[in-house]
């Protein structure tokens, strides 16, 4: 089966979010953790999503990782390529969205791509180039105080222009509303005027369908998972993709259940507060001091394991995170907490926890690495942007890898009710 879409995602939960969107539209999708070695056989799928950890690393490193992933996907013969970033456009004035997009365009020999992080189902919309989170401009949302990528400007044309030496244009809402043919003409006109990147407005799923049709033949598409919503239909209209009723099928997995929460987003903090089961909060200051906090958490957890989920967290308020980073440094504190969660995940798996919900991109990356997971089959959706997945191998684990900002307040309980 020919690989239709090769995707590069800048974090693990974002990759799962994108894969979920594609599966919902009937594309069999596999997520790979990190760049597979050249020559290594890839699982058969309509779409492959390579999950990197490149959102907040130095731009040059993000570019190198993304180019390596692109080469592997080109070797697999993908028809089209997708660079996936967060629906809140998480980045700084130095990147990494602009530098990575420029590098991928250069390696593909292409000169134009769109930028559309809209995800209306999760209340991320773009109007006149401005990104909204619910009813708030991005710059007025909780993302304004994000500890790693504070977003203080909602104008995506302006944000992206600070990350690339190339011209950034805008395809406004009226051009999207005019339909896919009119939008395509508008994109071509902007490209003819020298625009290399074009931010595209979208306020509803119907807009994403129009955009997907308009860019269905572009070599590279960039955006959040929402803009991929229209691509499978575009492939079908081109006779490339038959419908698959079982695209979300996963194996049955038995075993204990646990939530590992490391995100400090407002959504995750609300989900922790709403959780009704046993909850243990790891001492993050002690973790930064090198104390064995995972051992204490595991000793608490083992007697409580069973069919009902338990929750273990390192999540905290932005103020507490800032204080910890000031005391120990951003890198040292982040790495110490990730090591603790990784060690805890290994201990839980050894105690027969086979079903995990993990909240936060960095935490998810640490957990899947600790568990030796290198590929995932994407299953049914729990909440918008978050599906169940199953590791590929002889003894699969069931994993829900959640972006910190995603999910309803009852997500942790709801997830296991649907596993």
């Amino acid at each position: 089966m020919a690989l239709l879409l090769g995707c590069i995602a800048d974090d693990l939960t974002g990759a799962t979010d994108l894969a979920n969107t594609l599966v919902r539209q009937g594309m069999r999708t596999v997520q790979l953790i990190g760049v597979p070695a050249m020559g290594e056989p890839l699982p058969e799928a309509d779409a492959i999503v390579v999950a990197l950890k490149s959102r907040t690393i130095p731009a040059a490193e993000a570019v190198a990782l993304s180019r390596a992933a692109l080469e592997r996907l080109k070797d697999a013969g993908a028809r089209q390529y997708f660079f996936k970033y967060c629906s809140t456009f998480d980045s700084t004035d130095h990147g990494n969205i602009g530098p990575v997009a420029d590098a991928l365009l250069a390696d593909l020999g292409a000169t134009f791509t769109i930028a559309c992080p809209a995800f209306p189902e999760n209340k991320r919309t773009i109007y006149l180039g401005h990104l909204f989170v619910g009813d708030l401009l991005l710059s007025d949302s909780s993302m304004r105080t994000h500890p790693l990528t504070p977003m203080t400007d909602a104008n995506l044309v302006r944000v992206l222009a600070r990350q690339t030496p190339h011209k950034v244009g805008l395809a406004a809402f009226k051009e999207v509303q005019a339909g896919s043919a009119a939008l395509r003409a508008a994109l071509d006109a902007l490209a003819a005027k020298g625009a290399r990147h074009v931010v595209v407005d979208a306020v509803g799923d119907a807009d994403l369908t129009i955009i997907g049709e308009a860019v269905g033949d572009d070599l590279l598409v960039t955006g959040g998972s929402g803009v991929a919503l229209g691509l499978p239909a575009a492939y079908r209209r081109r006779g490339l993709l038959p419908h698959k009723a079982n695209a979300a099928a996963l194996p049955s997995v038995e075993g204990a259940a646990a939530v590992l929460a490391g995100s400090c987003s407002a959504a995750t903090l609300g989900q922790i507060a709403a959780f009704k089961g046993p909850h243990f909060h790891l001492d993050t200051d002690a973790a930064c001091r090198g104390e064995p906090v995972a051992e204490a958490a595991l000793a608490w957890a083992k007697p409580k394991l069973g069919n009902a989920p338990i929750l273990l967290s390192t999540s905290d308020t932005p103020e507490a995170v800032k204080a910890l980073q000031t005391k120990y440094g951003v890198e040292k504190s982040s790495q110490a907490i990730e090591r603790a969660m990784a060690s805890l995940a290994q201990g839980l798996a050894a105690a027969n926890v086979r079903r995990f919900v993990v909240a936060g991109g960095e935490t998810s990356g640490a957990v899947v690495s600790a568990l030796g997971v290198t590929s995932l089959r994407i299953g049914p959706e729990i909440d918008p942007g978050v599906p169940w997945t199953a590791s590929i191998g002889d003894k699969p684990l069931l994993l829900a890898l959640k972006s910190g900002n995603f999910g309803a307040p009852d997500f942790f309980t709801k997830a296991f009710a649907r596993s």
Side-chain angles (χ1 to χ4, degrees), residues 17 25 86 96 103 142 230 257 321 361 381 395 397 404 406:
D17 173 17
Q25 302 304 312
C86 187
N96 292 336
S142 61
V321 173
E381 186 176 61
K395 293 185 66 178
L397 296 168
F406 283 9

Side-chain angles (χ1 to χ4, degrees), residues 207-232:
D207 304 324
L208 301 175
T209 300
I210 291 168
I211 296 167
E213 176 62 32
V215 302
D217 294 316
D218 284 5
L219 199 53
L220 176 67
V221 177
T222 88
S225 64
V227 77
L229 187 71
L231 291 178

Side-chain angles (χ1 to χ4, degrees), residues 51 284 310 374:
T284 53
I310 62 170
T374 59

Side-chain angles (χ1 to χ4, degrees), residues 151-175:
M151 300 304 294
T152 58
D153 190 350
N155 187 318
L156 299 188
V157 175
R158 223 164 29 215
V159 172
L160 190 52
R162 292 195 289 266
Q163 300 181 17
T164 174
H166 301 285
K167 185 175 179 179
V168 180
L170 170 66
F173 185 61
K174 65 179 181 180
E175 293 164 323

Side-chain angles (χ1 to χ4, degrees), residues 30-33 43 372-377 390-393 399:
V30 169
Q31 179 175 334
L32 305 179
I33 315 301
V373 175
T374 59
S375 56
L376 298 166
R377 186 72 65 183
S391 59
I392 296 175
L399 299 156

Side-chain angles (χ1 to χ4, degrees), residues 185-208:
L187 295 175
D188 289 341
L190 287 164
K193 293 177 182 177
R196 188 175 180 88
H197 307 270
V198 173
V199 175
V200 184
D201 281 355
V203 301
D205 284 354
D207 304 324
L208 301 175

